[in-house]
Amino acid sequence: MALLIAAAVVSLLQVVVSVTQSDDFVVKHLVLDDAIYFCKPARNFVEGRGYSFDGLHLTNGVQPLWAILVTLLASVVRDDMILIRTIAALSGICWIAAAGQLYRWLAGTSPFAAAIAGIGWLLAGVEFHLAHTGMENGLQGLLVTSALLAARNVASTPPAARERLARTTVFGLWCAAMCLNRVEYGLLAAFWATWLFCSGQGPLRPRLRGIAPFVLPVAIATGAWAVFSRVYFGDWTPVSGAVKAHVTSHLLSSTSLLESFWHHALIGVRIAMLPVLLGSSAASGWLDFFTIAQVFVLAGAVAAAIGGIVWFRRIRAGGAPPSDWPTIAFFLFVPVHVLLVARFLAAFSNYCNWWFTGEVLAVWAAVGLLLGKTRSLLLRLAMLPFCLCVVVAAAQRPSVYLARDQWRIPGTEDFVELGRWIESWLPAGSRIGAFNSGFVAFEARSHTVVNLDGLMNDGDFLRRYLVRGAVDEYLAAENIRYVTDNMPVHLWAACREGVVGSRLPKNMRPLLCRRSSTGFLACVFDAFPDAPGPRIAAHPLAATLWRALSGQEKLVEHADRGGIPADRQIVASLADRLTGAVQHVVLTRAEAAVAVDAEGLARMPAIGASFGGFVALMACDAPESIRRGSTVSFTTYWRRQADAMRDDVRFGLTIGEPDRPAAPSLTRSDEPAHGTLPPRSWPTGQLLAHTAWLTIPSDLTPGTHPVWVTVRTGTEPVAPIGRPGTAVRVGTLRITD
């Protein structure tokens, strides 16, 4: 028990530390995009716009109980950033509390086994912040473990005992909350109702009276919500379930159900066991991860086989004790739940790890029961690796798992940056459509962001548009002018061609196109460029990068730039943040002359620094922040001003003071267009985009550093006219860990 308490304290510390990080860290690396699907409607409801994500259409696309709790919090917490931190912390605290309930449930068999199971549960949920991403899974873990504990109390009470009524009622209340928090867990409630009915005594009527205290809370709570949902939203159940089933049937119709079942079962096992495996391999020093994984698989198979034999012999000898049957019902529910996910929700499951709370609980409950229920020496030896790895992994937490790199959610920062760009670039009050719309809506606060994948739309969108793939018709009907998302290039192409379930207009004009941190394309499009109204200028390189990244132009690796023909030049460059690999967009000289959109360049903050009167720095496109160890790229925009140009011109970039860079490696100097455009061949008046990149050292102290641009001819600096010094400050870069 002391070890479990220590693990719970460290887990609570991790939750507190994570939710009190900077705003930028919380939205980019901690909270899931789907958490905003609870926060945004809650805020709209509190402010009188109805329970609606976009403020236009009512939606019931989220789980009811967590939605109610977030809405109650939103009525008290007026700041949206504090609301996000609060729900993330609440979910994490619920997960930690579930470890205590799990211990109470299993402690009757063996306190040591119960502690091992509780620590494993904490490791599975709090590591990698699975439990505190702002979703409902932490609360679901607490509700399911509380219901299991209540079921044990009911099972241990004779049917005729006076305490049976009260305990059954409490059991029913826990199950009612569980069903409202995750609708599909109504099936588990049905399993438990069947067990209660079969465990009753006498004819039919006494049995029905015996299960009434359980059934009534569940029926009243779920029935009341269904009626309210039908009256207020127009649908009996969350519309998101129907959307996921439709998309899964459309995209994964050829996938074998058995193959999908095993894939999803392994997701649950992986989530449950991965932190323990990683912690053990980090601590051992001589056993690698895969060796420990093999030991786990072998030990688990042996333990499960022995445990199954022991349990079966016990059943044959005299039947399972009454307290075993609700546990058996839970273990029967878990594979059925996996089957439901595999059949109806598979298109979303690789991202939605919070769905697998029951599976994670089943894994660690099985460990606790196998370790504590039998007295078999062979079984205990088989369970020994689990015990050792749990203890070792728990001991590693302060030094290994409190590293914030383990908390990051890949890709979320791209949606945050898309929302911020939209907020700064598009006219206020615009309507924007997005498939992954949570953080786009959170950051683009002066706009109306409408969900396009159906999860946070009303039932009318599903029935009239999504089932036909007619998202383009929906955009026109709702006057949604812009479309944004971060998707693989093949999905963007498929949507434009109408070969997937969501058809977009074919002639969309790119306003922004970037390669995201996940290798996808983060884009903003004008969906109806020929529509009446003002034409919005695009980012200076949007059209050029879209052509290259969508496969219309060939990208050249940086190492191969020497083979670029003399009549072609580099017009844009792309540096991968994680690997540092660089690719270039190469066009003919005639195409390069119009590669930079002058109208879009005029929208950017002007710098207008003339170096020596022959070249002018017009603007700079740079990120706000970057992680240590990542590669950062800066695109500067230049215009040749006069004929007095030398061939030894170099563009320089420095992070830190020009004479004292933040690190020796944080300065570089390049030829214009990376040597593919001789400076004397650069036509006077023509715009040129030049991208420089730097890899941030992993040991650099985090902080905010100035960014400077210089021009040199040979080794001599060229002073900017009318400005002090020899460098021009173009912004700041916040380096984080």
Side-chain angles (χ1 to χ4, degrees):
M1 183 61 178
L3 189 60
L4 176 60
I5 293 174
V9 170
V10 175
S11 297
L12 182 61
L13 174 64
Q14 182 167 329
V15 171
V16 171
V17 170
S18 62
V19 301
T20 54
Q21 296 296 311
S22 67
D23 290 354
D24 208 49
F25 182 89
V26 169
V27 297
K28 285 186 175 181
H29 305 301
L30 182 67
V31 178
L32 283 169
D33 189 77
D34 287 54
I36 309 302
Y37 290 173
F38 291 94
C39 296
K40 193 75 175 177
R43 181 63 63 208
N44 283 334
F45 183 83
V46 169
E47 295 180 354
R49 291 185 289 271
Y51 198 84
S52 166
F53 177 77
D54 51 30
L56 303 172
H57 311 92
L58 298 177
T59 182
N60 69 344
V62 291
Q63 299 296 335
L65 183 58
W66 190 243
I68 293 170
L69 290 177
V70 175
T71 303
L72 291 174
L73 287 171
S75 66
V76 178
V77 180
R78 295 297 180 178
D79 183 273
D80 287 338
M81 196 65 235
I82 296 177
L83 178 63
I84 288 177
R85 296 177 188 273
T86 302
I87 65 171
L90 178 60
S91 182
I93 291 170
C94 286
W95 190 282
I96 295 169
Q101 294 293 74
L102 178 60
Y103 176 85
R104 293 179 60 198
W105 175 44
L106 298 175
T109 59
S110 167
F112 174 74
I116 290 294
I119 294 171
W121 167 263
L122 289 174
L123 289 169
V126 182
E127 302 309 345
F128 310 105
H129 67 274
L130 175 66
H132 49 291
T133 56
M135 300 303 292
E136 74 279 356
N137 55 328
L139 177 60
Q140 189 67 7
L142 177 59
L143 294 174
V144 175
T145 52
S146 298
L148 284 164
L149 181 60
R152 189 202 66 182
N153 293 337
V154 171
S156 62
T157 308
R162 296 176 58 183
E163 297 87 355
R164 176 86 172 198
L165 176 62
R167 291 183 174 184
T168 305
T169 303
V170 170
F171 182 32
L173 291 172
W174 282 118
C175 286
M178 178 189 72
C179 295
L180 288 179
N181 199 55
R182 287 294 309 182
V183 173
E184 74 272 19
Y185 275 70
L187 183 60
L188 176 56
F191 281 19
W192 278 333
T194 303
W195 156 67
L196 283 173
F197 179 81
C198 294
S199 64
Q201 295 179 347
L204 178 61
R205 189 168 297 179
R207 289 174 181 263
L208 293 177
R209 283 200 301 266
I211 68 169
F214 172 82
V215 172
L216 286 178
V218 175
I220 291 172
T222 57
W225 173 260
V227 171
F228 168 77
S229 181
R230 182 69 177 87
V231 172
Y232 186 71
F233 298 111
D235 292 278
W236 294 100
T237 59
V239 69
S240 54
V243 169
K244 291 167 184 172
H246 165 72
V247 174
T248 297
S249 65
H250 187 83
L251 295 181
L252 303 177
S253 57
S254 60
T255 303
S256 163
L257 182 58
L258 181 60
E259 178 185 351
S260 182
F261 173 84
W262 283 115
H263 169 73
H264 289 89
L266 289 175
I267 290 178
V269 175
R270 183 194 68 205
I271 294 170
M273 288 296 182
L274 186 60
V276 174
L277 293 172
L278 290 175
S280 303
S281 60
S284 68
W286 57 276
L287 280 178
D288 62 89
F289 172 84
F290 293 103
T291 301
I292 293 179
Q294 291 172 349
V295 171
F296 258 63
V297 170
L298 179 61
V302 172
I306 296 173
I309 293 171
V310 171
W311 181 80
F312 180 73
R313 290 177 61 186
R314 208 161 94 188
I315 290 292
R316 289 194 61 185
S323 58
D324 278 3
W325 287 111
T327 303
I328 294 169
F330 170 68
F331 281 112
L332 289 175
F333 161 77
V334 168
V336 175
H337 181 256
V338 173
L339 188 64
L340 289 175
V341 172
R343 174 62 181 84
F344 298 107
L345 311 175
F348 297 81
S349 57
N350 285 337
Y351 167 73
C352 301
N353 284 347
W354 65 91
W355 290 354
F356 295 90
T357 302
E359 286 71 15
V360 173
L361 177 60
V363 168
W364 286 109
V367 169
L369 289 170
L370 287 171
L371 188 61
K373 273 279 189 183
T374 67
R375 301 294 179 263
S376 168
L377 177 61
L378 185 58
L379 177 58
R380 288 178 179 272
L381 289 175
M383 294 302 298
L384 184 61
F386 287 86
C387 301
L388 290 176
C389 289
V390 167
V391 173
V392 169
Q396 285 291 304
R397 295 183 62 137
S399 59
V400 175
Y401 288 117
L402 288 182
R404 285 183 290 178
D405 283 351
Q406 306 294 348
W407 300 345
R408 299 177 186 274
I409 302 172
T412 301
E413 59 188 294
D414 301 309
F415 295 111
V416 172
E417 291 170 2
L418 277 174
R420 291 175 180 175
W421 188 88
I422 289 169
E423 181 69 9
S424 66
W425 196 274
L426 298 183
S430 300
R431 289 192 179 184
I432 297 107
F435 296 98
N436 298 281
S437 53
F439 275 113
V440 173
F442 182 78
E443 296 291 344
R445 302 186 186 198
S446 67
H447 304 276
T448 299
V449 178
V450 181
N451 189 250
L452 295 181
D453 64 5
L455 300 181
M456 292 305 293
N457 299 91
D458 56 11
D460 186 62
F461 171 76
L462 169 64
R463 290 181 285 270
R464 292 184 58 189
Y465 299 100
L466 191 61
V467 294
R468 298 188 294 112
V471 174
D472 53 347
E473 296 179 20
Y474 181 74
L475 297 176
E478 295 291 329
N479 194 29
I480 299 171
R481 180 67 183 266
Y482 307 102
V483 173
T484 185
D485 218 284
N486 176 37
M487 298 193 297
V489 61
H490 71 275
L491 281 184
W492 277 119
C495 287
R496 287 162 66 96
E497 296 300 322
V499 297
V500 297
S502 300
R503 184 175 67 244
L504 294 174
K506 286 187 176 182
N507 64 335
M508 296 193 303
R509 181 171 69 99
L511 300 180
L512 177 72
C513 183
R514 293 174 176 169
R515 177 176 285 167
S516 69
S517 63
T518 55
F520 296 169
L521 295 192
C523 299
V524 180
F525 290 96
D526 183 347
F528 303 103
D530 300 325
R535 178 183 172 88
I536 302 299
H539 182 272
L541 289 174
T544 298
L545 290 176
W546 170 253
R547 288 178 58 194
L549 293 174
S550 62
Q552 300 174 51
E553 299 288 346
K554 183 179 179 180
L555 291 169
V556 176
E557 301 295 331
H558 184 63
D560 299 331
R561 68 190 186 284
I564 296 174
D567 62 338
R568 300 174 73 86
Q569 73 177 69
I570 293 172
V571 297
S573 306
L574 299 156
D576 189 286
R577 298 184 197 179
L578 300 181
T579 66
V582 178
Q583 294 179 308
H584 301 289
V585 181
V586 179
L587 300 176
T588 65
R589 294 287 169 82
E591 293 171 326
V594 294
V596 178
D597 186 336
E599 185 182 6
L601 185 61
R603 287 285 310 277
M604 299 181 66
I607 297 176
S610 176
F611 287 85
F614 60 85
V615 64
L617 175 61
M618 308 299 294
C620 180
D621 193 10
E624 298 176 354
S625 63
I626 195 74
R627 292 173 54 192
R628 294 187 297 176
S630 301
T631 297
V632 61
S633 59
F634 297 85
T635 299
T636 47
Y637 299 90
W638 304 82
R639 187 190 298 275
R640 181 174 176 181
Q641 293 180 298
D643 293 334
M645 176 71 78
R646 292 172 50 174
D647 280 333
D648 57 355
V649 169
R650 298 290 186 272
F651 296 152
L653 178 73
T654 300
I655 299 176
E657 298 300 331
D659 55 344
R660 290 185 298 105
S665 60
L666 293 183
T667 183
R668 69 175 294 140
S669 178
D670 295 299
E671 302 169 276
H674 299 286
T676 58
L677 174 64
R680 293 183 187 274
S681 301
W682 182 359
T684 301
Q686 181 176 312
L687 293 170
L688 173 71
H690 176 82
T691 301
W693 57 92
L694 293 164
T695 298
I696 309 300
S698 299
D699 57 354
L700 183 66
T701 302
T704 300
H705 302 274
V707 180
W708 301 82
V709 169
T710 59
V711 175
R712 292 180 178 272
T713 53
T715 59
E716 295 298 319
V718 178
I721 297 175
R723 296 176 183 243
T726 59
V728 172
R729 182 168 170 164
V730 295
T732 59
L733 178 68
R734 186 172 63 256
I735 297 174
T736 68
D737 57 358

